[in-house]
Amino acid sequence: MKKLLSLFSVIICLSACAQITPPAPFGPVPSERQQAWHELEYYMFAHFTVNTFTDKEWGYGDEKESVFNPSELDCRQWAKVAKEAGMKGIIITAKHHDGFCLWPSEFTEHSVKNSVWKDGKGDVLKELKQACDEYGLKFGVYLSPWDRNSAVYGTPEYLVYYRNQLRELLTKYGDIYEVWFDGANGGDGFYGGKREVRKIDNRTFYDWANTHKIVRELQPMAMMFSDAGPDTRWVGNESGMGSLTNWCLLNKDEMYPGGNFASMLGEGNEDGNYWVPAEVDVSIRPGWFFHAKQDSLVRTPENLMELYYSSVGRNSNLLLNVPPDRRGLLHENDVKSLLAFSELRKKEFENEVAKGKKVTVSASRGKGYEGSRVNDGNPETYWATKDEDKSGEIIIDLGTETEVNRILLQEYIKLGQRVQEFKVEAFADGVWKHLIDGTTIGHKVIRKFPVEKATKIKVIINKSKACPVISNIELFRAPGN
Ligand code: FUL
């Protein structure tokens, strides 16, 4: 009898103590550098070069170096504003299409070293990097592949030049979190005085694979941006619009910067074989560079809020351009709008009502993966179903009738992006009422709906490539409707 009892308790213990295995990763997953990048969500773009002084958007490459002469350059002001605005980093146009370098490159004369600014002894990148360090911001660089100043542009020698510049950037300024490879090429330029049109084949000319190796070797944690990644992709427009359906996946093997892919970059590829999430680049003004005549056209805080919803709220990072002016300062109008937007954002998301509330689920994988994981405030825990359950429901019981008008959802993307379709309902006046339909989730989705007085909110995952893994659900009562 005694023996039988102890056998019985061993069996009970074995079943209760059995470790439930976590879901296996499904499809491509983010690398460590991509995981860190997803967390940044919102950072600054700074378009600043000779164009700031010549009032152009694309410099021809023939501008005198002496035109670059900011009267009060203060990168600490940029960084201070970025920090106060809640941004996590600054990416600067180290070199735009005109070829002018904001650092004293040893490989060209077309740089700050031949300007009158600081008697040619200045280095904007050095000042900005110091300022970013001081304010705890990440630092990134844009190095235009198209160079309208270079005499060797279009020849193999140009690649040697371009890579030498890239090495300078990657070795002289400490940690770099993102390198921006733009895809534009208009053909014509100064090209060392030739003033002609130079056509290159975007597919082959730049030999990107070998340029990428340099970045990986010198800055292993740096993300590389281009139309086609490899680490983050263009969203396909410059108007701030992320796609509602947005896969972090891309079949990028046949793609290259400057190719004709804009229309499919928003959604990415549901069956993509690489993790290449979207980044939304957009300017706070109509132009990328500062033009005094656009001082009255700075986006309003409300408009910036809309951009936030259409970028961060759609599983993308927001790279917001705030171009320094001729003084070398962020203009008062831009600063005012940015900081007011930051206040709006705080108010928008300060009233969260779901955290710690009782959660019930239609099914769960078991201990460690319960519904309560979606609102425990811990991004490392998640609700998951058994492998065979590719749909499921989560009900958050708000306890009492509560007003809500925003929902935020996150998948545990370290295990891949899975959800294909979801919807949200509210229990109000004794019935379940439809609120929103959705498709993908990924790192983060934030959706608005008209104010609803609900006692419960239900998230239904109707379709998922593999068992859903949801790490976070937040519900807000934002001001207004
Ligand atoms: C484009 C460039 O041609 C613009 O001047 C700007 O730098 C934008 C971010 O990318 O392709």
Side-chain angles (χ1 to χ4, degrees), residues 45 47 57-58 96-97 142 180 182-184 238 281 288-289:
F45 218 178
H47 273 66
E57 277 291 303
W58 279 8
H96 202 250
H97 310 331
Y142 171 121
W180 230 79
D182 181 72
E238 292 178 341
D281 62 312
W288 288 103
F289 287 92

Side-chain angles (χ1 to χ4, degrees), residues 296-307:
S296 62
L297 301 174
V298 173
R299 288 177 186 272
T300 61
E302 292 74 22
N303 182 274
L304 293 174
M305 193 73 211
E306 288 311 309
L307 285 188

Side-chain angles (χ1 to χ4, degrees), residues 51-70:
N51 297 346
T52 312
F53 303 89
T54 56
D55 216 10
K56 288 188 180 165
E57 277 291 303
W58 279 8
Y60 194 68
D62 63 347
E63 42 289 304
K64 289 203 177 72
E65 289 76 32
S66 57
V67 299
F68 184 85
N69 194 14

Side-chain angles (χ1 to χ4, degrees), residues 294-327:
Q294 296 180 352
D295 284 352
S296 62
L297 301 174
V298 173
R299 288 177 186 272
T300 61
E302 292 74 22
N303 182 274
L304 293 174
M305 193 73 211
E306 288 311 309
L307 285 188
Y308 186 79
Y309 274 101
S310 63
S311 54
V312 176
R314 292 185 176 180
N315 189 30
S316 307
N317 276 7
L318 172 57
L319 172 59
L320 180 64
N321 182 58
V322 190
D325 63 16
R326 288 185 182 178
R327 294 170 301 176

Side-chain angles (χ1 to χ4, degrees), residues 67-93:
V67 299
F68 184 85
N69 194 14
S71 51
E72 304 168 44
L73 181 98
D74 183 5
C75 294
R76 295 182 66 242
Q77 185 243 7
W78 314 1
K80 185 168 184 283
V81 170
K83 186 72 184 184
E84 281 174 20
M87 294 166 146
K88 300 290 168 53
I90 304 182
I91 300 179
I92 183 160
T93 50

